[in-house]
């Protein structure tokens, strides 16, 4: 779950991280005048690139009412964050994220922050363990060559504080850009925070962020949530059906390695139904009906749920819903799942129903799909 800048900064402020002084401003609220003659107005949306779209503007306080209308003409009726301007001596970039492969906190730093961060040199990277007594020293070693020693030490200590916040708040990403060097110290002028979706229930839900996230869902994504799983629609040529984020990311990478792009990503929801196979297939088939999608890839792993049950569910669904594109199937079943009905039995049962494509190895499955599409 991504937080708006306003909600993200409120979280940082609770943990003692310096952010600019500001107030929330609704679409029709009167403009407060106590912040000074000049202010910064920021539309609160979840998409990036707000500055380039004219949704972050510095202006005289007297012009805010008209400027708010201009921004709503671009972004719709949104809320705003109204802040005092910060006296910036230097802009830095600092981000922490959970590395999905290593399951460690990874820190990224660049001595050049701001809107042109994409054009800057690749950031410095290092793993940051909040329990490591030498974590700040390791951070200093990673960035010390890019900054004066005193500033490098301050940034390294801040990175350690942020790592503890990231862990305590169940964040998957905490990005400060720019992290401003000011006469008063380091100030987070902009903040992008993403909370792990599986941990949302453990925290208070910021209503503004939740409302924007809900509004941003496509009808198919919203229906998926109602049926117990998470779906992300993407521009791509393969409708992907998988269970769990880790497996889904592996399949996305395998498709990309073969010059293909997934048109969907699926994950489990906390406290969702035990089996959402049919609902996932329905969503994938709807995506596969689009002209740019060329195939459907179904791959899942089974630890204890019987493989026979999954195969019969799949066959029953396909009997009612012929796939709109070629369907490629794969299973990896643990011993408990395959007891009495192993992969060979599954292959025989599916072949008898006219389904020829079945692989145990996801790499082999993707290779077969890519070869067929290239023919």
């Amino acid at each position: 779950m991504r937080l708006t800048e306003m909600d993200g900064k409120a979280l940082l402020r609770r943990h003692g991280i310096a952010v600019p002084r500001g107030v929330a401003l609704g679409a029709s609220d009167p403009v407060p005048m106590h912040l000074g003659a000049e202010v910064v107005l920021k539309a609160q949306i979840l998409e990036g690139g707000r500055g380039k779209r004219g949704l972050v503007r510095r202006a005289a306080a007297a012009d805010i009412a008209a400027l708010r209308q201009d921004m709503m003409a671009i972004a719709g009726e949104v809320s705003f964050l109204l802040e005092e301007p910060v006296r910036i001596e230097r802009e830095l970039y600092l981000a922490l994220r959970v590395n999905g492969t290593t399951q460690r906190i990874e820190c990224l730093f660049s001595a050049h922050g701001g809107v042109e961060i994409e054009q800057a040199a690749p950031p410095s990277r290092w793993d940051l363990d909040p329990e490591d007594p030498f974590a700040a020293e390791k951070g200093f070693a990673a960035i010390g060559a890019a900054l004066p020693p005193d500033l490098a030490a301050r940034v390294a200590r801040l990175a350690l504080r942020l790592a503890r916040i990231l862990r305590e708040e169940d964040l998957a990403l905490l990005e400060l850009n720019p992290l401003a060097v000011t006469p008063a110290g380091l100030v987070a002028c902009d903040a992008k925070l993403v909370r792990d979706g599986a941990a949302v229930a453990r925290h208070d839900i910021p209503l503004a962020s939740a409302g924007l996230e809900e509004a941003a869902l496509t009808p198919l994504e919203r229906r998926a949530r109602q049926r117990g799983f998470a779906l992300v629609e993407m521009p791509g040529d393969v409708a992907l059906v998988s269970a769990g984020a880790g497996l889904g990311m592996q399949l996305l990478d395998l498709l990309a390695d073969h010059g293909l792009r997934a048109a969907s990503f699926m994950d489990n929801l906390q406290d969702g139904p035990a089996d959402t196979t049919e609902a996932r297939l329905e969503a994938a088939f709807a995506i596969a009906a689009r002209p740019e999608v060329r195939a459907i890839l179904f791959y899942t792993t089974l630890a204890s749920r019987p493989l026979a049950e999954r195969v019969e569910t799949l066959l029953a669904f396909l009997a009612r819903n012929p796939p709109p594109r070629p369907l490629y199937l794969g299973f990896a079943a643990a011993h408990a799942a395959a007891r009495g009905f192993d992969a060979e039995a599954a292959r025989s049962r599916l072949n008898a129903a006219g389904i020829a494509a079945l692989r145990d190895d996801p790499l082999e499955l993707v290779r077969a799909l890519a070869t067929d599409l290239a023919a």
Side-chain angles (χ1 to χ4, degrees):
M1 177 182 182
R2 180 167 174 177
L3 305 185
T4 63
E5 178 190 2
M6 185 163 51
D7 288 336
K9 284 182 172 176
L11 183 153
L12 292 175
R13 189 182 295 112
R14 291 198 301 271
H15 287 275
I17 303 300
V19 299
R21 193 163 74 104
V23 296
L25 186 65
S28 58
D29 292 339
V31 178
M33 305 304 292
H34 67 275
L35 290 180
E38 190 176 50
V39 291
V40 180
L41 183 68
K42 301 182 175 184
Q44 295 302 284
I45 62 174
L46 298 181
E47 296 85 0
R50 290 179 301 162
K52 295 180 180 180
R53 293 177 59 191
L55 298 176
V56 176
R57 299 279 296 276
R58 187 166 178 159
D63 298 331
I64 290 301
L67 186 56
R68 178 171 53 180
Q69 296 302 315
D70 292 343
M71 290 187 179
M72 286 193 290
I74 299 172
E77 188 166 324
V78 297
S79 59
F80 297 86
L81 175 61
L82 193 62
E83 290 185 334
E84 286 184 335
V86 173
R87 182 180 164 190
I88 299 176
E89 298 177 345
R90 182 171 183 172
E91 292 185 339
L92 309 174
Y93 173 88
L94 181 63
L96 290 86
R97 66 185 183 187
V98 177
N99 185 308
T101 301
T102 65
Q103 289 300 300
R104 296 176 179 174
I105 298 175
E106 183 179 46
C107 193
L108 298 88
F109 169 80
S110 174
H112 305 282
V115 295
E116 301 302 330
I117 183 63
E118 294 85 357
Q119 281 71 52
S124 303
R125 300 169 185 259
W126 70 98
D127 287 343
L128 204 167
D129 179 359
E131 301 303 323
D132 183 352
F134 300 103
E137 287 80 357
K138 291 177 181 177
F140 179 85
I143 65 177
L147 297 174
D150 177 66
L151 179 56
R154 284 190 285 151
V155 172
R157 290 194 297 269
L158 175 62
L160 178 56
R161 291 182 63 191
L162 294 176
R164 291 168 177 156
I165 294 170
L166 181 138
R167 186 177 59 182
E168 180 178 339
E169 295 287 348
D170 292 310
L171 301 176
L173 173 70
L174 197 171
E175 179 184 82
L176 307 182
N177 183 36
L179 172 63
V181 181
T182 77
L186 296 172
V187 178
C189 286
D190 197 357
K192 176 181 176 181
L193 278 67
V194 179
R195 176 165 277 142
D196 183 350
V200 169
R202 294 199 291 269
H203 301 272
D204 293 335
I205 300 176
L207 296 181
S209 298
L212 284 173
E213 186 176 68
E214 174 67 21
L217 295 175
T218 68
L220 204 57
E221 290 169 344
R222 187 170 291 109
R223 178 169 171 76
R225 286 183 179 270
Q226 293 168 352
R227 300 192 68 182
F229 69 100
L231 167 70
V232 179
E233 294 190 68
M234 302 179 292
D237 43 19
V238 177
L240 176 62
V241 185
S242 65
L247 177 60
M249 291 301 297
Q250 179 189 19
L251 294 169
L252 258 67
D253 290 341
L254 288 174
L255 288 169
D257 289 344
H258 290 78
L260 300 169
R261 295 183 302 161
S264 55
F265 179 82
M266 299 180 183
D267 193 10
N268 305 320
L269 286 179
Q270 187 177 26
D271 298 325
D275 187 9
T276 56
T277 301
E278 290 201 2
R280 294 180 193 236
L281 285 166
E282 286 179 8
F285 280 25
I287 292 170
R290 300 168 186 168
E292 66 274 14
V293 178
R294 304 165 63 196
I296 304 164
L297 174 62
F298 177 105
Y299 190 88
T300 189
T301 59
L302 298 168
S304 58
R305 183 173 295 276
L307 175 58
E309 179 183 304
R310 183 59 55 88
V311 169
E312 293 305 322
T313 297
L314 179 61
L315 288 173
F317 178 85
L318 294 176
R320 302 189 308 270
N321 305 275
R325 295 287 186 269
L327 175 61
Y328 293 78
L329 301 175
F331 296 93
H335 178 73
R339 187 179 297 116
F341 190 88
D342 60 12
E344 191 58 41
R347 184 175 291 106
S348 176
R349 182 76 177 87
L350 291 164
N351 288 346
I355 301 172
L358 179 65
R359 302 286 193 282
D360 300 329
D361 185 338
L363 176 57
E364 292 182 5
L365 185 63
V366 173
R367 280 176 178 164
L369 186 158
T371 299
D372 290 347
L373 293 184

